[in-house]
Amino acid sequence: MTGAGRGELEGTVRVSEIPAKATGSTRPVARAGGALPARPVPGAGGGPLSPEPAGNADVGAATAGTAGTAGGRARSAAVGGPGQDPGDPAGEDVPGPAGHDGGTGDVGAGAPPTVGTGGPLGAAGSADGVDTRHHAPGAEPPGVEDAPLTSDDVVWQSSPPGSIYDYIKVASFSIGPDGLVDQWSARAERLFGVAARDAVGKDPIEAFVAPELRRRGHRKMAEILDGREWTGSVPFRTPAPAPADGGPAAAGPQEAVGLAESVGLEGIAEVYVMPARTADGERSAVCIVVDVRALRQIETDLAASQAIFGQSPFGFLLFGTDLRVQRANRRFAAVFGGAEDDHRGRTVHDYLPRHEADRMQAALCRVLETGEAVTDMQIIGPAPGSNERRHWSINLYRVHSGSGRPIGVAGLGNDVTSRHAAAREAAHARRNLALLNEAGARIGNSLDLETTARELLDVTVPGFCDLASVDLYQGLLDGDEAAHMRQSLADGSAELRRVAFASAVSDVPFPEGTGPVEVGSVHRFAFNSPCADALRTARPRLIAAGDDCGPARRLTSGLIQSTLAVPMVAHDTVVGLAQFSRTKGSEPFGERDRALAVELAARAAVCIDNARLYRREHERALILQRSLLPPGDPEAAGLDIACRYLPGNAATEVGGDWFDVIELPGHRTALVVGDVMGRGLRAAVAMGELRSAVRTLALLDLEPAEVLSALDEIARGLGNLPGPGHARRATPAGARGRDSDDLAEVYLATCVYAVYDAVTRRVTFANAGHLPPVLVEPGESPLMLDVPPGMPLGVGGEPFEEVDVDLPDGALLALYTDGLVESRDHPLDEGLNAFVGALAEPAQALEDICDHVLNTLDTHHGEDDIALLMARVRGLPAEHVGDWTLPREPQSVGRARELACERLRAWDLEALVDNAELLVSELVTNALRYGEGEIRLRLLLDRTLVCEVWDAGLVQPRRRRARDTDEGGRGLQLVGLLSAAWGSRRTPRGKTVWFELALPDGDSAPMDAAEALMSLF
C-alpha cells in the first residue's frame, strides 16, 4: 500500500471509528514513545470522545498526522500489554504489530508525519484543540479524568460537520494468523449487533457467512492470510446466541438494547481487507466494513432530492444561511427564466416587488432563526416579462445537516393565481347570491312606490355600486296607462319622474352640469341617449367612462367610471329605468354584474308595478268609499252631530267601514255605523250596497230590528248563498253537489242601528255583532250600553233584539268601529278602556271631543279603517210641540184647523197658515173617512214644520192620479204639491200620515193654495 492510499484510509477510518462520550470534549492523543491516555480529556474542541483501544487498526486512522511520528507506539505496557484479555470491553488492548521505524502497530504506520494535513479531512490532532507535540514523553495531557468508560459512551461521531461520514457507518475488526477474530471494535458491535466477547476467537466465515457461501469464504480467507488485499460485498447474517453464550442478555442494560436491535439481522457489507503482520511477524489482516444499507439509503435520498429539484411541478429554492439562492429547480427556472444555475446567489429582491420581497425576507430570517415552518404564505407579484399580477403560495422550512446544524431554508412555491381567480369568482357569486337574498327579504315589504324604490337602492348601495337612481314613467304614476304605452314604446323618451336616489359618495361634489336629477322632478332622456335606447329596447346598456360624448356625458363625466342603465320590466311592460354607477377606482362592471343588475331591477319592477296597481285600486276604492259616506257635516233634528273617518294607510287595502245619519219623519234620526269584513274594492262595493239598503229601509220607517233583518237577507244575497227559496228549488241530484261546492264569496258585516226621537228623547238600538255604543250622561261616568250583539249580517237564522234607552238632555252618544279600539299592539279590551277614558270630559264641543279621542288612542297604526260618530242630545223644547187628541166626528176637522192655525200664529209662522190649514184639513178628513179610532194631531217645529195625523187604521194611504171626470182622489195630490215632503208610516197602534213644510226664509214665498188646486184640473 502506498502512503497516499494509507493516508486516505487513515482519514476514512479516523472519522468513523473515533468513539464519543456524552459529556466532556476530548480527543485521543498519541505521544512519541508513549501510550494513548486511557481516560478522556475534557475541554478539548470537537465532540466528546472515548479512548481508542490499543492494537485496533483504527487507531492509526484516528491519529492521522501524529501517530506516524518516530518512536511512537500505539499502547503503553502500563495500559495494556501482550497479556491483555481480548474480551475486555474497555478497549481490546492487544499489542499492535510493529510499524515502520518503531511506529505504532496501526495499518497506517509509516504515514508521513504531518500535523494538520494528515488524511483528507485535515489534521485531526489539532482540530480538537489538543496539540500532542507540546507534551513530554510519558506525561498525560492536562484535565485527564480517571473515570472508566462504558458501552453507553460509544456513539457515532458527527464532527467535523458536513462530512460524508455523518451519513455512512464504518466499522473495523482484525483477523489473527489463525484466521479467527482477534480484535472486535465497538463500532463493529453496533453494526453487526454482536458483542466483542461473542466475536473474538471465532471464525468470521462460520459466524457471519451463509452456509452455501462458506467454502468460497474460507478460500478467500486463505488468500488474505497469504498477504493479498481484497475488497468486495459480503452477505451476512447476525447469529442469535443464547444468553449463556454472552448474547445481548449477558451485556449491560444499555448495551443490550442496542445489540438486541440487530439480532437476526441479514444484510450486505462492503469489506476492505488489508494484510498485516503481528509483533511476531505472523500474517494477519485488518478489515474495514461499510454498511451497504446506508449507501443504498443515500442513493434513495439523492434520487428523492433529484425528483424534488428536477421533476417537481412546484418551484423549489434552497437558500443558504446568507439568504441567497443556492439551488433552484427546473420549474422555478421555467417561470422566472434562465437556467437553474443562473439563479445562484440571487435574493428575493431580484424576483419580487419591494414590499413583497421585504415580507419574504423577514419570513426567511424568522424560519432560519426559530426553525418554525411557514405554510401557505401568500405572495403577490408580476411574472417576468408581464404586468399580470400573479399569486404564489409559499412554504418555508429550515434545512439541517446530518449533524443537526442549520444550513439554510428550503422554499416551495406554487402558482395559485387560478385558485385566487376561482375564489374571487366564488366570492362574487356569493356576494350576488347574498344580494339577491337580501333583495328578496327587503324589497316589496311596502306597497308604496317610493318606499319600494328606496328599498332597491338600500340593497344595492354600497354593496353593488356607489350611486343608483330609479325613474318611473309619469304616465303610469298618473294612471294614464294608454298614453304611457304610446309614448314609451315609440321612442323611449317619455316623461319620467325621479322617485329615488342614493349615493355612497355624497360628500364628493359633482362637476358642473353632471349632478344627478333631483328626486321628485320630472325629466326626459334624449332620443339618441343610451338610457332612452335601454327603455326602447328593454335591454340593459353599459355606459363606460370612455363614452363621454353626447347624452352619455352626464353619466360618465368626472366622478363616475361606468353606469349600468337597466330597464325595469314587469309583466312585459317597462315601468321605468334603474341606473347603477361606480366611481373611478372601483372595479368595472362585468357580465356577472350585468346579470345581477337585471335580476335586481326585475324584482323591484314587479314590486313597484304591484304597488302601482295597488295604489290605483286603493285610490279607486277610497274614492268609492268616500262618495258613499255622508257629505259634509250631517244634521239631525234634536242632535248635534260630529263624525270622523280615517282610511287605512297605503300599505293596507281600504276597508268596509261606514257610518250614516238618516233623517226620519217626525224629527227622528237614524244613526248607523257598520263594518264589512274584508278589504279592497270588493269590500268597498259591498259596503256601498249595504249602506244604500240601509237608507232605503230607513225611509220605509221600519223598526230597527226589522231593518237589520232585511239587511241580513241582503248581505246573504251579496255572497250568492242559497237562501230558503233556493233550498226549496228542485235541482238534479248530480248538480246539487256541484252547486254546493261552487259557492261565491261570503259577505259578513257588523252593524249597529239606532233611531232617536227628538220629541221623546228616546233611542232604540238594534245590534248585529257590532261593538256596543258608549253613553255619557251629564255628570256621570262613560258607560258602555248593554245592547244584545246579535249575529253579524250575512249569517242569518237569528232574530235581532231592540233596546230602548231614554236620554237626558245633553247626553253624549258614541258609535264607532273596531279600528279605533283594536290593533296588533293594543288588544280590544285595552282599546275599549282607553276609549271610555277619553270620553270622561264630555263638556267640550263635539269636534274637540272627536279630535281628543283620535289623539289619545292609537289611531295611526293604519291597520284598519276608523269610523267615529258622536251625537249630543238636544231635544225639542215643549213649546215647539203641539199635540192634540180629537174625537172621531166630523167636527174634528174644523177643530183641527183651528188648533193648527192658532199654534202657527203663536210660532210666528203666519206665512204657513193657509197651506197648513188646507193640508191639516185634508189629512184629518182622510183619517175620519178611512181610518179607525181616535185621531191625534201633532205639530213639531224644528228646522222644518212637521204635521202628523195619527189613527188606529192599518191601511196606508196610496196616492193615485185622478181622472178629469173623477170628483175625488185629488187630496193626496194636493198634499204633495203644497208640502216639501209627505208620507206615512206604521206605528204599533196604527199608522201616521205626515207632511213637512219648509220654514219661510224671507226670500221665497210658499206656493199659493189656489194655484195648486187649479193645477190639479
Side-chain angles (χ1 to χ4, degrees):
M1 294 177 62
T2 62
R6 287 193 298 271
E8 182 178 355
L9 179 62
E10 290 168 0
T12 303
V13 179
R14 176 187 61 79
V15 175
S16 63
E17 274 295 298
I18 296 177
K21 188 173 182 179
T23 59
S25 178
T26 64
R27 186 172 183 85
V29 181
R31 296 185 299 273
L36 287 172
R39 293 172 297 279
V41 181
L49 303 176
S50 59
E52 194 66 28
N56 195 322
D58 299 339
V59 174
T63 58
T66 60
T69 57
R73 287 187 58 84
R75 280 288 180 185
S76 170
V79 178
Q84 179 70 33
D85 185 4
D88 184 3
E92 309 171 17
D93 294 334
V94 296
H100 175 73
D101 195 16
T104 163
D106 200 313
V107 194
T114 58
V115 178
T117 58
L121 297 179
S126 60
D128 295 333
V130 180
D131 191 351
T132 61
R133 295 171 298 173
H134 296 168
H135 296 284
E140 293 185 356
V144 174
E145 300 177 358
D146 296 330
L149 298 178
T150 65
S151 60
D152 295 336
D153 298 323
V154 181
V155 296
W156 291 106
Q157 172 67 8
S158 58
S159 178
S163 171
I164 187 63
Y165 302 104
D166 293 344
Y167 306 97
I168 303 176
K169 294 181 179 180
V170 181
S172 67
F173 63 91
S174 63
I175 301 175
D178 55 358
L180 302 180
V181 176
D182 62 355
Q183 296 186 55
W184 190 259
S185 68
R187 300 304 170 88
E189 290 182 351
R190 294 282 180 169
L191 178 61
F192 291 102
V194 179
R197 64 172 58 90
D198 299 325
V200 174
K202 291 187 177 182
D203 187 347
I205 303 301
E206 295 294 334
F208 300 106
V209 179
E212 62 272 14
L213 300 177
R214 289 174 183 174
R215 182 177 180 181
R216 183 180 177 184
H218 284 299
R219 187 171 59 252
K220 289 292 183 183
M221 179 63 67
E223 295 176 357
I224 293 172
L225 294 178
D226 288 340
R228 295 182 58 184
E229 291 187 359
W230 181 81
T231 301
S233 297
V234 178
F236 70 92
R237 82 181 162 189
T238 303
D245 300 333
Q254 299 296 332
E255 184 181 16
V257 175
L259 299 180
E261 294 176 353
S262 301
V263 171
L265 177 68
E266 294 185 1
I268 298 176
E270 185 80 20
V271 182
Y272 181 22
V273 182
M274 297 170 290
R277 289 184 181 273
T278 64
D280 299 335
E282 294 180 307
R283 295 184 182 274
S284 62
V286 176
C287 301
I288 306 299
V289 183
V290 178
D291 188 359
V292 177
R293 294 171 301 174
L295 295 177
R296 298 295 181 266
Q297 184 64 38
I298 292 175
E299 291 178 356
T300 303
D301 293 344
L302 290 175
S305 176
Q306 183 60 32
I308 293 177
F309 273 83
Q311 304 174 21
S312 174
F314 308 116
F316 197 98
L317 285 178
L318 182 60
F319 296 91
T321 55
D322 58 353
L323 302 184
R324 291 184 176 272
V325 176
Q326 291 185 352
R327 188 173 180 183
N329 71 342
R330 185 183 309 164
R331 175 61 179 170
F332 183 87
V335 174
F336 287 91
E340 294 92 326
D341 294 339
D342 295 341
H343 296 276
R344 295 182 185 272
R346 294 185 181 180
T347 65
V348 291
H349 289 82
D350 297 325
Y351 303 104
L352 300 173
R354 181 178 181 84
H355 63 284
E356 292 293 308
D358 291 342
R359 286 181 57 226
M360 184 73 174
Q361 186 88 358
L364 288 171
C365 292
R366 186 169 62 255
V367 172
L368 186 61
E369 292 174 1
T370 65
E372 296 180 359
V374 173
T375 58
D376 198 22
M377 179 181 180
Q378 301 296 314
I379 296 294
I380 303 175
S386 172
N387 292 327
E388 182 183 1
R389 288 163 55 92
R390 310 294 296 178
H391 295 258
W392 288 281
S393 175
I394 305 298
N395 299 284
L396 304 175
Y397 57 93
R398 192 167 68 182
V399 180
H400 304 82
S401 66
S403 62
R405 179 179 61 89
I407 61 174
V409 177
L412 186 66
N414 183 27
D415 190 345
V416 293
T417 304
S418 58
R419 187 173 72 186
H420 273 265
R424 186 166 56 250
E425 289 295 320
H428 287 175
R430 287 193 297 269
R431 183 204 66 180
N432 295 351
L433 182 59
L435 280 175
L436 289 177
N437 290 338
E438 185 180 4
R442 297 181 59 181
I443 299 177
N445 294 328
S446 171
L447 289 174
D448 180 72
L449 288 172
E450 290 76 10
T451 302
T452 303
R454 286 194 299 269
E455 290 171 347
L456 170 63
L457 303 191
D458 292 340
V459 171
T460 56
V461 178
F464 177 69
C465 60
D466 300 316
L467 299 95
S469 62
V470 175
D471 299 312
L472 299 179
Y473 276 116
Q474 182 66 22
L476 285 178
L477 299 178
D478 293 339
D480 188 5
E481 299 184 16
H484 153 70
M485 295 296 294
R486 289 194 301 270
Q487 296 178 4
S488 62
L489 296 181
D491 55 9
S493 59
E495 288 186 343
L496 297 107
R497 182 193 300 172
R498 176 64 54 85
V499 295
F501 174 80
S503 171
V505 290
S506 56
D507 55 338
V508 179
F510 285 84
E512 184 178 356
T514 63
V517 178
E518 294 294 332
V519 175
S521 61
V522 178
H523 65 99
R524 295 175 181 266
F525 291 115
F527 176 80
N528 58 344
S529 65
C531 294
D533 182 70
L535 290 170
R536 210 166 32 244
T537 61
R539 295 179 180 177
R541 284 289 306 273
L542 176 62
I543 302 101
D547 187 10
D548 57 356
C549 57
R553 182 178 181 275
R554 186 182 186 91
L555 303 176
T556 60
S557 295
L559 182 66
I560 306 302
Q561 178 196 89
S562 58
T563 298
L564 268 175
V566 183
M568 306 181 71
V569 183
H571 310 298
D572 297 330
T573 301
V574 179
V575 299
L577 183 73
Q579 299 179 56
F580 308 101
S581 303
R582 290 181 179 174
T583 57
K584 293 182 178 179
S586 301
E587 184 179 357
F589 288 111
E591 288 300 323
R592 190 185 298 272
D593 297 325
R594 182 194 296 257
L596 176 62
V598 171
E599 178 66 21
L600 291 173
R603 293 192 179 193
V606 171
C607 296
I608 287 176
D609 193 55
N610 292 339
R612 178 185 63 84
L613 296 176
Y614 169 78
R615 173 182 289 186
R616 182 183 65 182
E617 181 178 351
H618 185 270
E619 290 177 351
R620 293 176 180 177
L622 193 59
I623 292 173
L624 174 62
Q625 189 178 41
R626 289 188 179 278
S627 66
L628 298 175
L629 295 176
D633 296 329
E635 296 180 354
L639 291 175
D640 292 333
I641 301 294
C643 56
R644 293 289 187 274
Y645 173 76
L646 298 179
N649 57 31
T652 59
E653 295 183 276
V654 66
D657 295 13
W658 91 92
F659 67 90
D660 207 347
V661 179
I662 307 171
E663 292 190 80
L664 300 178
H667 288 303
R668 294 175 303 129
T669 304
L671 304 176
V672 187
V673 171
D675 183 5
V676 176
M677 299 180 186
R679 298 181 183 278
L681 190 60
R682 296 174 63 87
V685 171
M687 180 271 291
E689 294 183 5
L690 291 178
R691 178 177 180 271
S692 299
V694 168
R695 296 189 69 88
T696 301
L697 295 172
L699 293 177
L700 293 178
D701 212 349
L702 300 177
E703 296 298 326
E706 295 178 346
V707 171
L708 293 184
S709 296
L711 279 179
D712 180 61
E713 291 293 333
I714 294 174
R716 296 175 65 190
L718 293 178
N720 292 329
L721 287 176
H726 293 83
R728 292 189 296 267
R729 186 177 303 169
T731 57
R736 187 178 298 114
R738 292 192 299 269
D739 292 342
S740 61
D741 294 337
D742 190 20
L743 300 180
E745 182 178 357
V746 178
Y747 284 91
L748 298 179
T750 61
C751 179
V752 59
Y753 185 87
V755 176
Y756 169 71
D757 191 337
V759 178
T760 62
R761 295 183 180 88
R762 174 174 294 178
V763 60
T764 302
F765 292 99
N767 191 356
H770 203 77
L771 296 174
V774 177
L775 176 64
V776 185
E777 297 183 359
E780 301 290 339
S781 300
L783 174 67
M784 286 196 301
L785 297 177
D786 186 12
V787 179
M791 299 299 291
L793 302 178
V795 176
E798 294 292 334
F800 298 97
E801 300 182 26
E802 294 181 353
V803 174
D804 294 333
V805 179
D806 292 329
L807 304 179
D809 204 25
L812 181 66
L813 184 64
L815 306 177
Y816 52 95
T817 58
D818 57 353
L820 179 66
V821 295
E822 185 179 21
S823 66
R824 291 190 182 96
D825 299 329
H826 300 280
L828 181 60
D829 293 342
E830 180 182 334
L832 287 174
N833 293 333
F835 178 52
V836 172
L839 298 176
E841 298 179 3
Q844 307 176 23
L846 278 182
E847 295 294 336
D848 296 339
I849 294 177
C850 289
D851 295 336
H852 174 70
V853 169
L854 295 181
N855 293 331
T856 302
L857 275 64
D858 180 21
T859 59
H860 302 288
H861 52 78
E863 299 173 7
D864 196 3
D865 296 353
I866 295 175
L868 175 63
L869 177 62
M870 306 190 74
R872 175 168 286 156
V873 175
R874 183 177 54 82
L876 288 177
E879 58 271 16
H880 285 190
V881 179
D883 195 348
W884 305 275
T885 300
L886 303 176
R888 189 172 186 79
E889 57 186 21
Q891 292 81 3
S892 295
V893 176
R895 180 61 179 165
R897 287 196 298 267
E898 292 175 1
L899 294 173
C901 292
E902 180 181 353
R903 183 55 60 91
L904 291 178
R905 290 187 179 94
W907 289 340
D908 197 17
L909 296 176
E910 185 68 33
L912 301 179
V913 170
D914 294 340
N915 290 347
E917 182 181 11
L918 178 59
L919 296 181
V920 167
S921 176
E922 181 64 30
L923 293 185
V924 173
T925 301
N926 285 343
L928 286 173
R929 295 181 60 183
Y930 305 109
E932 298 177 2
E934 292 182 338
I935 300 173
R936 180 184 177 188
L937 175 64
R938 189 169 71 166
L939 295 179
L940 306 175
L941 177 62
D942 192 64
R943 293 180 295 110
T944 60
L945 175 65
V946 176
C947 176
E948 297 177 340
V949 177
W950 304 52
D951 68 83
L954 298 177
V955 178
Q956 298 287 331
R958 183 171 61 88
R959 181 180 177 181
R960 65 182 182 87
R961 182 177 295 278
R963 294 188 295 268
D964 294 342
T965 57
D966 291 341
E967 294 182 359
R970 293 179 176 85
L972 293 180
Q973 293 184 20
L974 181 63
V975 173
L977 288 175
L978 295 178
S979 65
W982 77 278
S984 65
R985 68 177 185 275
R986 293 180 298 174
T987 63
R989 297 173 182 171
K991 67 176 181 297
T992 300
V993 181
W994 58 272
F995 67 86
E996 182 178 326
L997 296 176
L999 299 180
D1001 54 5
D1003 296 334
S1004 60
M1007 185 176 182
D1008 184 64
E1011 294 180 0
L1013 288 172
M1014 295 301 297
S1015 65
L1016 297 178
F1017 298 94

